[in-house]
Amino acid sequence: MTSFVRACGLSELEEDTPKRVELDGTPVSLVRTEGEVFAIHDICSHANVSLSEGEVDDCHIECWLHGSRFDLRSGKPDSLPATRPVPVYPVKIEGDDVLVSLTQES
């Protein structure tokens, strides 16, 4: 059974603005975009930097340091220098609560 924990309130998430949270010691970037909320591991697979400091565009988050873009749905990079995906996590919305499971979808 998948276990979900509260990450934040939905009202705390601004459209296309990543929010970093830490869940059980795991850094997660939450992104509200295109009518959905996504949870992606907050550390770039190319360099040890926070993805939540990057920009969101077209359901992707861009690493601010070297410009790699990661698909928020799959965690897969679509530009260099990153070649490895980052984990994405299941999200549920219950009322104003954003719930995340640290069980990886990919």
Short mmCIF file of all heavy atoms in Angstrom, two decimals, residues 23-24 33-34 43 46 48 55 68-69 102:
data_model
loop_
_atom_site.label_atom_id
_atom_site.label_comp_id
_atom_site.label_asym_id
_atom_site.label_seq_id
_atom_site.Cartn_x
_atom_site.Cartn_y
_atom_site.Cartn_z
N LEU A 23 10.73 15.78 2.98
CA LEU A 23 9.83 14.75 3.49
C LEU A 23 10.66 13.56 3.92
O LEU A 23 11.34 12.94 3.09
CB LEU A 23 8.84 14.33 2.40
CG LEU A 23 7.99 15.45 1.80
CD1 LEU A 23 7.17 14.94 0.63
CD2 LEU A 23 7.10 16.07 2.86
N ASP A 24 10.64 13.25 5.20
CA ASP A 24 11.44 12.15 5.74
C ASP A 24 12.90 12.22 5.30
O ASP A 24 13.50 11.22 4.92
CB ASP A 24 10.84 10.79 5.35
CG ASP A 24 9.46 10.57 5.96
OD1 ASP A 24 9.22 11.11 7.05
OD2 ASP A 24 8.64 9.86 5.34
N THR A 33 1.47 23.40 -12.01
CA THR A 33 1.50 23.90 -13.38
C THR A 33 0.48 23.16 -14.23
O THR A 33 0.19 21.99 -13.97
CB THR A 33 2.91 23.79 -14.00
OG1 THR A 33 2.94 24.45 -15.25
CG2 THR A 33 3.35 22.35 -14.18
N GLU A 34 -0.06 23.83 -15.19
CA GLU A 34 -1.00 23.24 -16.15
C GLU A 34 -2.13 22.47 -15.47
O GLU A 34 -2.55 21.42 -15.91
CB GLU A 34 -0.24 22.35 -17.13
CG GLU A 34 0.79 23.12 -17.96
CD GLU A 34 1.50 22.28 -18.98
OE1 GLU A 34 1.12 21.10 -19.20
OE2 GLU A 34 2.46 22.81 -19.58
N ILE A 43 17.07 17.39 -6.28
CA ILE A 43 18.50 17.49 -6.59
C ILE A 43 18.74 17.06 -8.04
O ILE A 43 18.38 15.95 -8.44
CB ILE A 43 19.34 16.63 -5.63
CG1 ILE A 43 19.05 17.01 -4.17
CG2 ILE A 43 20.83 16.76 -5.95
CD1 ILE A 43 19.33 18.47 -3.82
N HIS A 46 22.74 15.81 -12.54
CA HIS A 46 24.03 16.16 -13.12
C HIS A 46 24.94 16.84 -12.10
O HIS A 46 26.14 16.58 -12.05
CB HIS A 46 23.84 17.09 -14.33
CG HIS A 46 25.11 17.71 -14.81
ND1 HIS A 46 25.44 19.02 -14.54
CD2 HIS A 46 26.15 17.20 -15.49
CE1 HIS A 46 26.62 19.29 -15.07
NE2 HIS A 46 27.08 18.21 -15.65
N ASN A 48 24.98 18.60 -7.92
CA ASN A 48 24.30 18.58 -6.63
C ASN A 48 23.71 19.96 -6.30
O ASN A 48 24.16 20.64 -5.38
CB ASN A 48 25.29 18.14 -5.54
CG ASN A 48 24.62 17.88 -4.22
OD1 ASN A 48 23.42 17.62 -4.17
ND2 ASN A 48 25.37 17.97 -3.15
N GLU A 55 13.58 27.38 -13.14
CA GLU A 55 12.34 27.88 -13.73
C GLU A 55 11.51 26.74 -14.28
O GLU A 55 12.04 25.71 -14.69
CB GLU A 55 12.67 28.89 -14.83
CG GLU A 55 13.33 30.14 -14.30
CD GLU A 55 13.54 31.19 -15.38
OE1 GLU A 55 12.93 31.09 -16.46
OE2 GLU A 55 14.31 32.12 -15.13
N SER A 68 20.03 22.04 -17.67
CA SER A 68 19.32 20.80 -17.98
C SER A 68 17.85 20.95 -17.62
O SER A 68 17.51 21.53 -16.60
CB SER A 68 19.92 19.63 -17.20
OG SER A 68 21.19 19.32 -17.67
N ARG A 69 16.98 20.41 -18.47
CA ARG A 69 15.54 20.45 -18.24
C ARG A 69 15.03 19.04 -17.95
O ARG A 69 15.39 18.11 -18.65
CB ARG A 69 14.81 21.02 -19.46
CG ARG A 69 14.99 22.50 -19.62
CD ARG A 69 14.43 23.01 -20.95
NE ARG A 69 13.29 22.30 -21.46
CZ ARG A 69 12.03 22.74 -21.43
NH1 ARG A 69 11.75 23.91 -20.90
NH2 ARG A 69 11.05 22.03 -21.94
N LEU A 102 6.66 8.95 -1.14
CA LEU A 102 8.06 8.86 -1.55
C LEU A 102 8.34 7.58 -2.33
O LEU A 102 9.47 7.34 -2.71
CB LEU A 102 8.98 8.97 -0.33
CG LEU A 102 8.99 10.35 0.32
CD1 LEU A 102 9.94 10.38 1.49
CD2 LEU A 102 9.33 11.43 -0.68
#
